[in-house]
């Protein structure tokens, strides 16, 4: 039996005929083969005692964790003789940590029948080829999803700003560039949101605009 620290939770599809899928439902012949295999590996008479009688194998009271046993064995050896090599696993512990050869030899016929009725087929996983992306493809995809029309910016309302008692006429077309539409960042400092444009130019990673923003 597995120890608590050795348990692994693996989830498999149900074999219940009322809930399982058709290709997961075992046939009557497969069910009988599984029952025979379990019965042939019964541990109640798998061991032989000192008198030669059949007895229960792997009794929980007398079965120890081989990993912990080997650890304590090595710990004791190094504590008493620090310079000696680590000992091998105790033969008694190693014996019940390995499959019972006699038990599996007796159940050889049931094992072969089980293998024939439950064949293992290797499933080949087809790896999808990674598609290379180019800047032109990304630009076209971005323009298609955002549906931006550059001509519409030319018809934007003219904004006026008063500087030094002079009226300067500017259009929003001057504040929008193709780079800003594609990359989402500014490449010039405009008069509408100069602070935002300045910060965007400093944070651009595709091109170095720090010197241009400062000057």
């Amino acid at each position: 039996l597995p120890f608590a620290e050795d348990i692994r939770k693996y989830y498999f599809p149900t074999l219940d005929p009322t809930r399982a899928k058709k290709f997961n439902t075992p046939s009557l012949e497969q069910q009988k083969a599984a029952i025979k295999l379990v019965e042939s590996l019964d541990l109640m008479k798998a061991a032989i005692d000192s008198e030669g009688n059949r007895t229960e194998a792997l009794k929980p009271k007398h079965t120890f964790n081989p990993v912990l046993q080997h650890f304590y064995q090595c710990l004791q050896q190094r504590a008493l003789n620090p310079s000696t090599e680590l000992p091998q696993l105790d033969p008694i512990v190693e014996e019940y940590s390995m499959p019972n050869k006699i038990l599996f030899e007796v159940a050889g016929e049931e094992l072969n029948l089980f293998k024939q009725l439950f064949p293992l087929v290797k499933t080949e996983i087809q790896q999808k080829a990674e598609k290379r992306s180019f800047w032109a493809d990304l630009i076209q995809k971005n323009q298609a999803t955002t549906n931006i029309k550059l001509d519409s910016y030319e018809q934007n309302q003219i904004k006026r700003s008063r500087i030094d008692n002079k009226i300067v006429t500017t259009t929003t077309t001057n504040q929008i560039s193709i780079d800003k539409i594609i990359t989402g960042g500014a490449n010039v400092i405009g008069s509408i949101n100069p602070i935002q444009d300045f910060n965007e130019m400093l944070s651009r990673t595709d091109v170095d605009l720090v010197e241009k923003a400062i000057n």
Side-chain angles (χ1 to χ4, degrees), residues 7-215:
I7 294 177
R8 301 292 183 272
K9 293 183 179 180
Y10 297 107
Y11 299 95
F12 298 96
T14 179
L15 298 178
D16 186 359
T18 59
R19 296 185 295 121
K21 296 181 179 180
K22 186 176 181 180
F23 58 85
N24 285 334
T25 305
S27 63
L28 183 60
E29 187 179 7
Q30 289 177 324
Q31 295 181 31
K32 291 181 179 180
I35 293 174
K36 290 182 179 179
L37 178 61
V38 173
E39 292 177 348
S40 64
L41 297 176
D42 187 7
L43 298 177
M44 295 304 298
K45 296 181 179 181
I48 302 177
D49 58 12
S50 58
E51 298 179 359
N53 299 322
R54 289 283 179 177
T55 182
E56 180 183 358
L58 299 178
K59 293 182 179 180
K61 185 177 180 180
H62 305 293
T63 304
F64 306 98
N65 189 329
V67 177
L68 293 178
Q69 288 298 312
H70 190 216
F71 170 75
Y72 293 133
Q73 184 181 354
C74 295
L75 187 64
Q76 180 182 5
Q77 181 74 9
R78 279 297 174 88
L80 299 177
N81 302 293
S83 59
T84 58
E85 296 182 357
L86 294 178
Q88 299 294 328
L89 182 63
D90 189 279
I92 298 177
V93 179
E94 184 179 6
E95 182 180 355
Y96 62 70
S97 65
M98 302 297 292
N100 191 322
K101 295 182 179 180
I102 299 177
L103 183 64
F104 279 90
E105 288 178 358
V106 174
E109 183 178 350
E110 288 78 5
L111 281 171
N112 293 331
L113 178 61
F114 190 84
K115 291 179 180 179
Q116 293 176 5
L117 297 177
F118 293 91
L120 294 178
V121 180
K122 184 178 179 180
T123 303
E124 296 182 0
I125 301 176
Q126 297 181 356
Q127 297 182 353
K128 296 183 179 179
E130 297 183 359
K131 184 179 179 181
R132 298 183 62 183
S133 299
F134 299 94
W135 282 110
D137 298 334
L138 296 177
I139 293 173
Q140 292 178 1
K141 182 179 179 181
N142 187 35
Q143 290 178 348
T145 54
T146 54
N147 194 21
I148 296 176
K149 296 181 179 180
L150 299 179
D151 295 340
S152 63
Y153 292 106
E154 297 178 357
Q155 306 298 330
N156 287 342
Q157 183 180 2
I158 297 178
K159 295 188 177 181
R160 297 176 179 271
S161 61
R162 188 176 299 275
I163 303 176
D164 297 333
N165 297 326
K166 294 182 180 179
I167 298 178
V168 180
T169 304
T170 59
T171 64
T172 55
T173 305
N174 297 330
Q175 312 305 325
I176 300 175
S177 63
I178 297 178
D179 289 341
K180 186 171 183 178
I181 296 171
I182 297 174
T183 62
N187 63 345
V188 293
I189 298 177
S191 59
I192 299 177
N193 295 313
I195 298 177
Q196 181 180 350
D197 295 340
F198 179 77
N199 293 330
E200 289 180 358
M201 292 178 66
L202 295 181
S203 61
R204 287 277 295 273
T205 57
D206 56 329
V207 64
D208 186 6
L209 298 176
V210 176
E211 185 177 355
K212 183 179 180 180
I214 296 175
N215 296 333

